[in-house]
Amino acid sequence: MNGASLATGQRSLGDPSVTFPLWPPQLRGCPETSTAEIAYPVEVDYAYEDVDTALFAQAPGPDLARWAPLLPPLHAPTLGEGGTPLLELDGLPGVYLKDESRNPTWSHKDRLNRVTVSAAVGAGAPGVVVASSGNHGASAAAYAARAGLPAIVLASAEAPPAVQSFVRAYGAKVLTMPAEDRWPLMRRIKVLTMPAEDRWPLMRRIVDRFGYHPVSNLTVTHTGHPFGAEGYKTIAYELFAQLGRVPAAVFTPTGYAEMLYGVWKGFAELRRLGVAETAPPMYACEPAVGAPHARALATGTPAAIVELGPTGAYGIACTVGGHRGVRAVRDSGGEAVPVTDDELRAAQELLARQGLWQELSGAAGLAGYRRLGREFDGPVVCVGTSSGFKDLETGRERVRLLEDVDVDVSLDDLLRATDA
C-alpha cells in the first residue's frame, strides 16, 4: 500500500464553497444546494499539497490500494480490481480499448464498489443495498461478501436471469417486487418482481428503516454514492502510465456518468499535481433513445430527466442524468454523443472479431468514437465496461445440431452446416 488516505472532506458540486466533513458520507447529495428538481452531488476533497507524485511512477496493477492517498479510506478488502489491459484495435491505429471486463466481476463497477463498500464498513453499516439489474448489483454483492456484509439487490423484472444468478452466487438477496403489498411479501420471499421505477423508493425505505448503506442513487437526479466516482479516477492514472501521456480523447459508455466524471477527475488531478500538462476532452456515449446528458448540455441545465425508448443497452439506459456527467463533458471541452442500437451492435461485433467480447452497453465508447468521425492528434481511448456474458440475449441463442455428418465433407460445407 502507498500510504494512508489524504481525503479531507466532501465538497458540493452545486456550490464549491459548501463543504462537509469526510464522515458521514452525504448519501443524498448536497443538502444545502439541492432542490426538489435537481440534486447536486458532492465529491471528495484531498490534501493535494501532501501527495507524493512518485505515486504515479508505479506500473499499473491490481488492487486500488496502490492509489490509496488519492482515494477515500479503503476499509474493505480487495478482490484484485484494476490494472486492466489497454489494447490497440486492429484497423484503427491509435485507437485503444481499456478493457474493464477484466475486473474480478467482469465490469468497471468493481472500482466503484471497492470504495463504496469500504464506506459501508467504515460507517459501521449492518449491510449494503443497491438498485441494479446488472453489473453494479453483481459487483456490490461480491465486495459485500468479501467484506463480510449482507447485501440486498433490488432488480427489475427485465434483468437477465444469468445476472440474477450471478448476484445470488455471492449470497445476496435479490428483490424484484411489485408495488402492492410490498412489506409483508418482503419479509417472506427472497426473489419477487418489481417495476424498475419502484426500486429507488424501496431502497430509501431499506436505508431509513434498517440502516443499510446504499451504494447507488437515492435522489431525483443522479448523485450516487459520494465516494463512488473516486474509484474510477484510477482508470485515468492507469491510462497515463500505460500510454506514457494523456490521451487525446476518452470515450466512455455513459449511464449515470459516475465513471465519466471519475475518469475526468483523475486526469484533472494529474494536471493539478503537475504530473501532466493537459487533460483530455471527455465524450459521453449514451443511448440515443434517452440521452439525458445530451439533453442537459443542449439546454444548459445542470441535469435532465427524459423519457426512454426501447434499447438493448440496458446497462446505460437511463431516464435520469446527473450533474457530474454534465460537468465532466463541459469542463473538459468534450461532447455528449448519442448512439443507436445499430451503431452499438456494429461496434460490439467489431470488438468481438478481435477477441474482445463486450456487452452492448460496453461497446458504446467505440460506437461513439465511430459516430463522431473525428480525427484526433494523439491516442484515443474507448472504455469497454463489461463482458458480453451480461447481455440480455446471452445464452438464448438457438443452436443447430449436426446429424449424420459425412466424414469426407469439405471444410466449406462443414462450416456452412454450423450456421444457424
Side-chain angles (χ1 to χ4, degrees):
M1 187 177 292
N2 290 287
S5 171
L6 295 174
T8 58
Q10 300 170 87
R11 184 179 302 277
S12 173
L13 291 187
D15 179 349
S17 69
V18 177
T19 61
F20 306 92
L22 185 62
W23 299 95
Q26 294 294 326
L27 301 173
R28 287 175 165 85
C30 175
E32 295 192 21
T33 60
S34 297
T35 68
E37 294 76 31
I38 298 290
Y40 285 100
V42 299
E43 65 172 352
V44 179
D45 204 0
Y46 299 85
Y48 289 106
E49 66 278 7
D50 294 332
V51 174
D52 182 354
T53 56
L55 181 70
F56 303 103
Q58 63 183 321
D63 188 352
L64 296 195
R66 65 183 52 245
W67 312 109
L70 286 172
L71 294 174
L74 295 175
H75 297 295
T78 185
L79 284 169
E81 65 291 327
T84 56
L86 182 68
L87 304 168
E88 189 170 17
L89 298 178
D90 293 343
L92 293 171
V95 179
Y96 295 81
L97 183 81
K98 180 65 167 167
D99 189 0
E100 290 294 288
S101 74
R102 310 293 185 91
N103 279 298
T105 73
W106 311 332
S107 90
H108 63 306
K109 291 292 185 180
D110 292 346
R111 297 182 190 259
L112 177 149
N113 281 303
R114 174 73 190 286
V115 176
T116 57
V117 174
S118 288
V121 174
V128 301
V129 57
V130 55
S132 170
S133 295
N135 294 319
H136 195 9
S139 177
Y143 278 84
R146 179 72 169 162
L149 291 177
I152 296 174
V153 178
L154 308 179
S156 76
E158 293 78 25
V163 174
Q164 292 206 25
S165 296
F166 193 20
V167 173
R168 290 191 197 97
Y170 298 119
K173 306 305 182 190
V174 181
L175 302 177
T176 46
M177 310 178 50
E180 63 273 15
D181 200 22
R182 182 176 284 158
W183 288 99
L185 283 172
M186 182 178 167
R187 296 189 192 102
R188 292 187 282 111
I189 306 176
K190 292 181 182 179
V191 183
L192 306 161
T193 59
M194 175 184 62
E197 62 269 21
D198 287 342
R199 288 181 288 160
W200 287 1
L202 175 58
M203 187 168 70
R204 285 191 286 268
R205 292 192 67 179
I206 293 171
V207 171
D208 294 340
R209 184 168 178 176
F210 304 122
Y212 271 50
H213 196 86
V215 296
S216 58
N217 195 54
L218 290 170
T219 52
V220 59
T221 55
H222 194 271
T223 60
H225 195 288
F227 292 6
E230 303 299 308
Y232 291 132
K233 296 189 310 185
T234 60
I235 294 176
Y237 305 157
E238 291 176 17
L239 289 175
F240 183 75
Q242 288 169 318
L243 291 170
R245 56 162 290 178
V246 171
V250 178
F251 290 77
T252 71
T254 301
Y256 295 130
E258 289 176 293
M259 181 177 68
L260 175 78
Y261 183 76
V263 175
W264 163 242
K265 184 177 179 181
F267 281 118
E269 287 178 336
L270 291 171
R271 184 176 58 186
R272 174 176 182 165
L273 292 166
V275 176
E277 294 183 359
T278 61
M282 302 292 299
Y283 292 86
C285 307
E286 53 189 352
V289 296
H293 296 91
R295 172 76 62 83
L297 287 158
T299 57
T301 54
I305 300 174
V306 299
E307 292 186 5
L308 185 67
T311 175
Y314 77 98
I316 53 173
C318 300
T319 59
V320 174
H323 185 55
R324 281 188 290 202
V326 174
R327 284 282 296 270
V329 171
R330 186 189 66 202
D331 292 356
S332 71
E335 297 178 32
V337 187
V339 291
T340 67
D341 274 27
D342 285 345
E343 290 166 334
L344 288 165
R345 290 190 191 96
Q348 184 186 43
E349 290 171 6
L350 187 155
L351 292 170
R353 295 299 178 267
Q354 300 191 27
L356 301 165
W357 190 32
Q358 292 287 316
E359 70 166 300
L360 196 63
S361 298
L366 179 59
Y369 167 75
R370 298 175 78 197
R371 178 174 181 79
L372 196 66
R374 185 175 301 166
E375 295 293 327
F376 292 91
D377 184 19
V380 171
V381 173
C382 302
V383 181
T385 50
S386 174
S387 166
F389 158 73
K390 299 173 183 176
D391 256 335
L392 290 168
E393 298 304 317
T394 296
R396 297 178 182 175
E397 299 91 345
R398 298 186 65 180
V399 297
R400 180 175 178 178
L401 299 178
L402 294 180
E403 297 178 354
D404 301 323
V405 177
D406 185 347
V407 294
D408 294 322
V409 69
S410 71
L411 180 59
D412 287 343
D413 287 342
L414 180 63
L415 294 180
R416 274 194 293 272
T418 67
D419 294 333

